[in-house]
């Protein structure tokens, strides 16, 4: 044996010894390692050693999600051979799931988590298979149970328009959840998607702390029984659910977080619990809402609701600890009046009927607004961040005049203001208006500007020119778009020491208190990023033709030509 081969053997022995040391770790630690891996990676560890194989056979977390079933065809095939192969793959996958559950039950392994996600499969007659899996998991005292059933059995696709199938007729096709699930003493987390809860004699989920229902059908009495049978529930989420018109959560004294979204038939909602901290409500039909008893609420989101001005104004004082308020798409609101000592973050987005906003919140630190130019009245406050996106519906000079006035007002109360625009048009202030109005921002070193439109043409040079009028002598300007062809331009400006040039003050600067950026910029450094942080191009422009060079940027990247006009 030569010396070189002997060295290789020593190295291999060291590697195997290192692997053995990991394999010799206590089984709970191996289980902890497995918990950070995907299901495929977990199964692959079984070939490493007998210790890893034993760790898998006793691993209490089984997650058969969409990545597990991604090799199974989701739609029927016209080709008989492909259809037969698909059926065989599905059969093997389902048998593997059941076999794994049987092994855990035989070894008397208590399951911490069992996930079965069949949502993307377009296969009928899976009910008996799902029943067997559920009963096996219940016999293993599962703590966290997550079920997502095929889309074709979902109550979510119901169309309630006249002439369309009724909700009751459609739900005859839904998977009926076994009532044994709702009498489990071991389940602490229950997430159900695309199924039906039948008439319940009694619900006794004495350990349940988190309940998430998505595209689930449940009648009023069923849902009432479900709520009454979960005394320890802390988190409740209802998304795209049907069958119930009323929702009374007064008995959930431990409730900490509640979310309801797109439950199309809800007409009455009452949350009377002191401990709830986070509430998010999104309902499309007019609904009577009672949340006045939620005295300790900190986070409140009201989305797509038919709210009246008086209701909102009267509710806010009931929440002395409210820190985060989001109002989104509440088109019936005309006047938003908010007075709160505790409020720290406020978001008002696309409330189409809005005319005025009045805010008295001295501790407010972050404000986000997206919508039309409306009247704002703001009390004494110092905002750390302000994010503004005003809808531009016309090119009227009066609109720009009101827009500039609002920017100046928010500048006076904000340490930083970030602007958004559909394609940059909000920065393109008309020249005539620039001559008679002062720039709204002074003293800022940095300004972020976001493009919110998809597949729009953005005039970067005009946008930069407008932003440097809005906030003269900026050190950096960042323009970003996050849709389709993601891109980012970061401009770093350096200026001449004197704000004049030969011949005196520039003609375009005579009416302004700060000299024109077009004449006092000495150098521009541009960093362009597209579709990822690793694709960065850097350019340095100086001289008298800086603006022409900026206009030339488009020629450097033809892949951007369809989306950005520089």
């Amino acid at each position: 044996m030569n010396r070189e081969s002997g060295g290789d053997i020593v190295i291999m022995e060291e590697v195997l010894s290192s692997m053995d040391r990991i394999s010799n770790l206590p089984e709970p630690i191996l289980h902890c390692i497995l918990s950070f891996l995907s299901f495929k990676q977990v199964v692959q560890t079984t070939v490493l050693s007998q210790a890893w194989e034993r760790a898998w056979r006793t691993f209490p977390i089984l997650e058969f999600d969409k990545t597990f079933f991604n090799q199974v065809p989701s739609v029927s095939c016209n080709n008989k051979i492909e259809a037969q192969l698909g059926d065989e793959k599905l059969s093997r996958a389902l048998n593997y799931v059941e076999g794994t559950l049987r092994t855990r039950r035989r070894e008397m392994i208590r399951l911490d988590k069992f996930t079965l996600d069949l949502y993307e499969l377009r296969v009928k007659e899976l009910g008996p298979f799902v029943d067997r899996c559920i009963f096996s998991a219940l016999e293993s005292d599962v703590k966290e149970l997550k079920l997502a059933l095929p889309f074709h059995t979902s109550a979510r696709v119901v169309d309630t328009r006249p002439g369309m199938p009724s909700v009751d007729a459609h739900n005859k096709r839904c998977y009926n959840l076994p009532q044994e699930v709702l009498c489990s003493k071991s389940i602490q987390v229950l997430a159900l998607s695309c199924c039906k809860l039948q008439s319940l004699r009694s619900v006794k989920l004495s350990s349940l702390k988190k309940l998430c229902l998505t595209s689930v059908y449940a009648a009023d009495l069923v849902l009432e029984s479900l709520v009454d049978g979960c005394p320890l529930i802390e988190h409740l989420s209802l998304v795209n659910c049907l069958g119930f018109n009323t929702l009374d959560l007064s008995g959930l004294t431990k409730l900490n977080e509640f979310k309801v979204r797109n439950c199309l038939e809800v007409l009455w909602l009452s949350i009377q619990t002191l401990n709830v901290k986070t509430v998010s409500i999104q309902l499309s039909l007019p609904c009577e809402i009672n949340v006045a008893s939620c005295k300790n609420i900190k986070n409140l989101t009201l989305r797509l609701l038919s709210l009246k001005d008086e209701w909102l104004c009267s509710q806010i004082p009931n929440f002395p600890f409210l820190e985060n308020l989001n109002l989104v798409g509440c088109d019936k609101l005309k006047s938003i009046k908010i007075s709160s000592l505790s409020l720290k973050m406020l978001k008002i987005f696309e409330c189409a009927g809005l005319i005025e906003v009045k805010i008295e919140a001295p501790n407010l630190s972050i404000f986000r607004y997206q919508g039309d130019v409306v009247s704002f009245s703001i009390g004494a406050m110092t905002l750390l961040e302000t994010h503004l996106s005003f809808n531009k519906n016309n090119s009227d000079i009066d609109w720009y005049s009101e827009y500039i006035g609002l920017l100046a007002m928010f500048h006076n109360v904000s340490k930083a203001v970030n602007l958004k625009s559909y394609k940059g048009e909000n920065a393109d202030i008309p020249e005539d208006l620039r001559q008679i109005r002062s720039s709204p921002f002074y003293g800022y070193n940095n300004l972020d500007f976001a493009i919110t439109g998809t597949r729009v043409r953005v005039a970067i040079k005009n946008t930069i020119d407008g932003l440097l009028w809005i906030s003269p002598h900026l050190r950096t300007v960042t323009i970003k778009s996050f849709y389709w062809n993601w891109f980012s331009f970061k401009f770093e400006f350096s200026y001449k020491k004197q704000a004049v040039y030969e011949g005196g003050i520039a003609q375009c600067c005579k009416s302004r208190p700060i000299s024109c950026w077009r004449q006092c910029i000495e150098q521009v450094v541009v960093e362009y990023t597209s579709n990822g942080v690793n694709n960065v191009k850097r350019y340095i422009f100086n001289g008298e033709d800086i603006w022409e060079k900026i206009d030339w940027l488009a020629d450097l990247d033809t892949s951007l030509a369809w989306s950005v006009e520089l």
Side-chain angles (χ1 to χ4, degrees):
M1 179 182 296
N2 58 46
R3 183 175 300 176
E4 183 176 352
S5 62
D8 291 342
I9 292 175
V10 171
I11 293 174
M12 182 59 69
E13 288 177 348
E14 290 178 352
V15 171
L16 292 174
S17 177
S18 176
M19 291 178 61
D20 286 340
R21 285 198 296 269
I22 297 177
S23 298
N24 289 331
L25 290 172
E27 196 168 79
I29 296 180
L30 296 182
H31 286 167
C32 182
I33 295 173
L34 293 177
S35 68
F36 291 98
L37 305 179
S38 67
F39 182 83
K40 182 178 180 180
Q41 292 170 330
V42 169
V43 175
Q44 288 174 340
T45 62
T46 60
V47 302
L48 297 178
S49 68
Q50 291 183 352
W52 282 105
E53 184 180 7
R54 287 195 301 271
W56 157 241
R57 293 175 68 86
T58 59
F59 190 45
I61 298 176
L62 300 178
E63 295 189 86
F64 299 102
D65 56 15
K66 61 182 66 177
T67 62
F68 175 79
F69 291 102
N70 62 2
Q71 300 299 323
V72 179
S74 60
V75 296
S76 59
C77 300
N78 293 326
N79 187 297
K80 292 183 178 180
I81 296 178
E82 291 183 2
Q84 184 177 356
L85 291 175
D87 291 341
E88 292 176 357
K89 287 183 178 180
L90 176 60
S91 179
R92 288 197 300 269
L94 300 184
N95 289 336
Y96 184 82
V97 173
E98 289 196 75
T100 304
L101 284 167
R102 282 196 300 269
T103 300
R104 297 302 187 278
R105 192 172 72 252
R106 186 172 58 249
E107 298 292 335
M108 301 182 67
I109 304 300
R110 292 188 174 184
L111 291 179
D112 290 338
K113 183 177 182 180
F114 175 61
T115 298
L116 183 63
D117 188 346
L118 306 171
Y119 180 78
E120 294 185 356
L121 294 182
R122 301 296 183 263
V123 182
K124 298 181 180 180
E125 304 302 330
L126 284 176
F129 164 77
V130 177
D131 286 345
R132 292 193 298 271
C133 290
I134 289 175
F135 289 131
S136 291
L138 292 177
E139 290 174 5
S140 296
D141 292 333
V142 62
K143 293 181 180 179
E144 183 173 341
L145 179 61
K146 294 186 176 182
L147 302 173
L149 302 180
F151 179 76
H152 76 276
T153 63
S154 169
R156 187 166 63 90
V157 298
V158 174
D159 194 329
T160 56
R161 293 174 297 178
M164 301 304 291
S166 67
V167 172
D168 290 336
H170 185 84
N171 277 282
K172 292 179 181 179
R173 298 162 52 198
C174 291
Y175 171 77
N176 292 320
L177 186 75
Q179 295 195 20
E180 287 81 354
V181 174
L182 303 177
C183 297
S184 170
K185 296 180 180 179
S186 63
I187 295 179
Q188 298 177 10
V189 176
L190 180 60
L192 303 175
S193 179
C194 303
C195 67
K196 177 183 178 181
L197 304 184
Q198 291 180 301
S199 178
L200 303 173
R201 296 183 298 274
S202 63
V203 176
K204 295 181 180 179
L205 289 167
S206 56
S207 301
L208 189 69
K209 294 184 178 181
K210 183 175 182 178
L211 175 62
C212 301
L213 303 182
T214 302
S215 302
V216 169
Y217 180 88
D220 284 303
L221 292 178
V222 174
L223 194 63
E224 181 182 346
S225 178
L226 181 62
V227 170
D228 291 341
C230 306
L232 301 182
I233 196 167
E234 299 174 358
H235 176 105
L236 176 60
S237 172
L238 304 172
V239 178
N240 297 333
C241 295
L242 292 172
F244 53 93
N245 301 122
T246 62
L247 189 56
D248 185 358
L249 306 180
S250 58
L252 300 181
T253 59
K254 300 288 185 179
L255 188 65
N256 182 68
E257 183 175 354
F258 170 70
K259 176 175 74 174
V260 58
R261 187 178 71 197
N262 294 341
C263 294
L264 301 179
E265 299 173 298
V266 175
L267 302 176
W268 186 82
L269 169 63
S270 178
I271 310 173
Q272 299 187 46
T273 174
L274 289 175
N275 294 319
V276 66
K277 300 294 191 303
T278 300
V279 173
S280 177
I281 304 173
Q282 176 180 327
L283 299 170
S284 55
L285 292 179
C287 177
E288 182 179 346
I289 300 173
N290 180 11
V291 291
S293 300
C294 304
K295 301 296 183 181
N296 292 310
I297 194 170
K298 289 187 175 182
N299 307 290
L300 178 61
T301 297
L302 304 173
R303 185 185 299 266
L304 303 180
L305 299 179
S306 299
L307 301 179
K308 295 183 178 180
D309 299 344
E310 299 77 12
W311 184 90
L312 181 63
C313 184
S314 65
Q315 292 295 316
I316 300 301
N318 293 323
F319 313 131
F321 303 105
L322 183 64
E323 297 181 358
N324 184 11
L325 175 61
N326 301 307
L327 302 172
V328 181
C330 299
D331 294 342
K332 295 295 182 66
L333 289 176
K334 296 181 179 180
S335 176
I336 294 178
K337 299 178 182 180
I338 296 173
S339 179
S340 173
L341 294 175
S342 59
L343 195 63
K344 296 180 180 180
M345 292 183 286
L346 174 61
K347 174 180 175 180
I348 302 174
F349 269 32
E350 299 298 347
C351 297
L354 196 60
I355 298 175
E356 65 171 355
V357 177
K358 296 182 179 181
I359 304 173
E360 290 288 342
N363 294 308
L364 191 67
S365 59
I366 299 176
F367 176 64
R368 302 176 187 273
Y369 178 81
Q370 180 173 314
D372 295 330
V373 168
V374 299
S375 172
F376 276 88
S377 175
I378 298 179
M381 66 179 70
T382 301
L383 296 168
L384 297 179
E385 298 177 23
T386 298
H387 303 262
L388 301 174
S389 178
F390 291 103
N391 299 335
K392 181 176 175 294
N393 299 321
N394 55 64
S395 300
D396 190 278
I397 197 169
D398 291 336
W399 183 94
Y400 279 105
S401 182
E402 292 181 43
Y403 173 64
I404 292 171
L406 289 176
L407 295 185
M409 182 193 68
F410 281 106
H411 168 67
N412 291 332
V413 297
S414 305
K415 292 186 177 181
V417 179
N418 299 317
L419 302 178
K420 293 183 179 181
S421 177
Y422 182 74
K423 60 178 181 179
E425 70 279 11
N426 290 2
D428 194 7
I429 308 298
E431 285 290 338
D432 292 344
L433 197 58
R434 297 188 191 191
Q435 298 296 330
I436 61 176
R437 295 292 298 265
S438 297
S439 299
F441 293 172
Y442 289 114
Y444 287 155
N445 288 323
N446 312 298
L447 184 62
D448 288 344
F449 191 79
I451 306 297
T452 61
T454 60
R455 293 186 180 272
V456 296
R457 299 184 65 81
V458 182
I460 296 292
K461 190 186 78 169
N462 293 343
T463 301
I464 286 291
D465 181 62
L467 293 176
L468 288 177
W469 180 85
I470 290 174
S471 186
H473 288 196
L474 286 165
R475 291 298 175 186
T476 64
V477 172
T478 302
I479 300 177
K480 294 182 179 181
S481 174
F482 301 100
Y483 300 95
W484 295 98
N485 192 25
W486 182 92
F487 68 85
S488 171
F489 283 95
K490 182 179 181 181
F491 293 81
E492 295 183 7
F493 302 97
S494 57
Y495 299 89
K496 300 174 184 178
K497 291 184 179 180
Q498 296 181 350
V500 294
Y501 63 97
E502 279 187 29
I505 299 176
Q507 181 66 29
C508 59
C509 300
K510 285 185 177 181
S511 63
R512 300 172 192 144
I514 293 183
S515 61
C516 183
W517 56 96
R518 296 172 185 167
Q519 308 301 333
C520 61
I521 289 178
E522 185 172 45
Q523 179 176 276
V524 180
V525 178
V526 183
E527 289 185 357
Y528 164 60
T529 307
S530 65
N531 295 323
V533 296
N534 294 324
N535 184 19
V536 180
K537 296 180 180 179
R538 194 169 188 266
Y539 311 104
I540 299 177
F541 300 145
N542 48 43
E544 296 181 357
D545 57 346
I546 286 179
W547 289 104
E548 286 73 14
K549 293 176 180 177
I550 291 177
D551 199 25
W552 171 74
L553 279 174
D555 296 333
L556 299 178
D557 192 344
T558 57
S559 68
L560 196 65
W562 64 268
S563 62
V564 179
E565 177 186 328
L566 292 159

